[in-house]
Amino acid sequence: MDDATRPPDSPPFDGKRFGRRIRELRTERGLSLSRLAERLGISASALSQIERGKMRPSVTRLYQIMTELDVPMASVFGGEVGTPPDPDAYSTPFGESPGPHWDPPSSGTAATGGVALSRRDDAATLELDHGVRYRRLTPASVPGMNYFESVYPPGSYSSQNAEFVRHGGHEIGNVVSGVLTVDVGFESYEVRAGDSIMYPSTTPHRISNQGDEDAVAIWLNLG
């Protein structure tokens, strides 16, 4: 894998900050610890451990938490993702241009004239159960869309006990390196480097790495 496709080294994952963010989102919505745990089908003690940074949720569990809190997954990356100010580049009339910007900051996220920029080494990263790592690729929020890079180590699953999950929307994945096994309903698909897969998230599904090397993929979640 060359430097252009190799996942960047990320700053150390702060489990306590991650847990605090989940607690903030929960309390903002007026949900007690026991009430959210009941909705998730887990014990209040288990949810408390996640909020205190003592336990890392699986990808599946994180999706369940975000679904119950009715917030996009990007919200858990150390705070809400910033939105580019007006004018919005996506709504600029055809034939008009907000003009180039030649002096963005040297690092971090910049948002000028509808343009948001996030540097490669500064993107927020989550380290979840099984060692699965998710890196946010959206420098600014886009309603109804989540865009991530995932790294699945050998033997890892998207769920703690290899269970299937379903939720609203659609998922589109492109494998950059390695091989992912994607089970959707009663079918199983080996997705290799350069392959793409799309499926409705309402169909029970799970993701795993059955190979002997890390599997890196780009995911677009819609809805």
Side-chain angles (χ1 to χ4, degrees):
M1 191 189 306
D2 59 29
D3 289 339
T5 57
R6 187 186 308 278
D9 293 331
S10 302
F13 173 70
D14 189 338
K16 289 184 177 179
R17 182 180 177 185
F18 167 69
R20 283 198 304 269
R21 182 58 183 154
I22 291 179
R23 184 170 64 249
E24 288 171 1
L25 292 167
R26 173 177 61 77
T27 55
E28 283 172 6
R29 282 146 188 81
L31 282 172
S32 67
L33 184 75
S34 58
R35 179 58 177 156
L36 179 56
E38 181 183 359
R39 289 186 180 182
L40 295 169
I42 62 176
S43 68
S45 173
L47 180 57
S48 176
Q49 288 186 63
I50 292 173
E51 291 191 352
R52 289 183 289 118
K54 302 292 185 181
M55 184 170 72
R56 296 180 184 180
S58 64
V59 176
T60 295
R61 183 68 71 203
L62 181 58
Y63 267 104
Q64 291 173 335
I65 292 172
M66 296 298 100
T67 298
E68 289 297 333
L69 295 176
D70 194 26
V71 294
M73 188 165 160
S75 298
V76 82
F77 285 91
E80 295 288 350
V81 188
T83 303
D86 291 334
D88 185 348
Y90 295 104
S91 61
T92 301
F94 182 75
E96 298 180 15
S97 170
H101 300 276
W102 300 110
D103 300 307
S106 58
S107 65
T109 302
T112 353
V115 176
L117 171 65
S118 179
R119 296 297 183 186
R120 180 174 183 265
D121 294 333
D122 295 326
T125 302
L126 293 179
E127 190 168 327
L128 303 172
D129 192 36
H130 290 282
V132 177
R133 299 189 301 280
Y134 264 52
R135 184 168 66 100
R136 190 184 70 206
L137 298 180
T138 43
S141 62
V142 179
M145 186 189 85
N146 288 299
Y147 189 42
F148 300 100
E149 174 192 79
S150 68
V151 180
Y152 278 75
S156 61
Y157 277 83
S158 57
S159 53
Q160 187 173 10
N161 298 308
E163 72 264 28
F164 286 73
V165 66
R166 59 181 179 179
H167 49 88
H170 281 75
E171 298 183 28
I172 305 167
N174 176 265
V175 173
V176 177
S177 63
V179 182
L180 281 177
T181 299
V182 182
D183 299 309
V184 184
F186 296 105
E187 301 294 331
S188 184
Y189 305 89
E190 276 199 353
V191 189
R192 300 177 177 276
D195 295 345
S196 296
I197 188 168
M198 178 174 70
Y199 51 88
S201 307
T202 50
T203 303
H205 57 278
R206 68 181 177 187
I207 302 167
S208 62
N209 180 356
Q210 305 297 324
D212 54 8
E213 63 176 287
D214 285 357
V216 181
I218 303 298
W219 292 95
L220 177 64
N221 296 344
L222 302 171

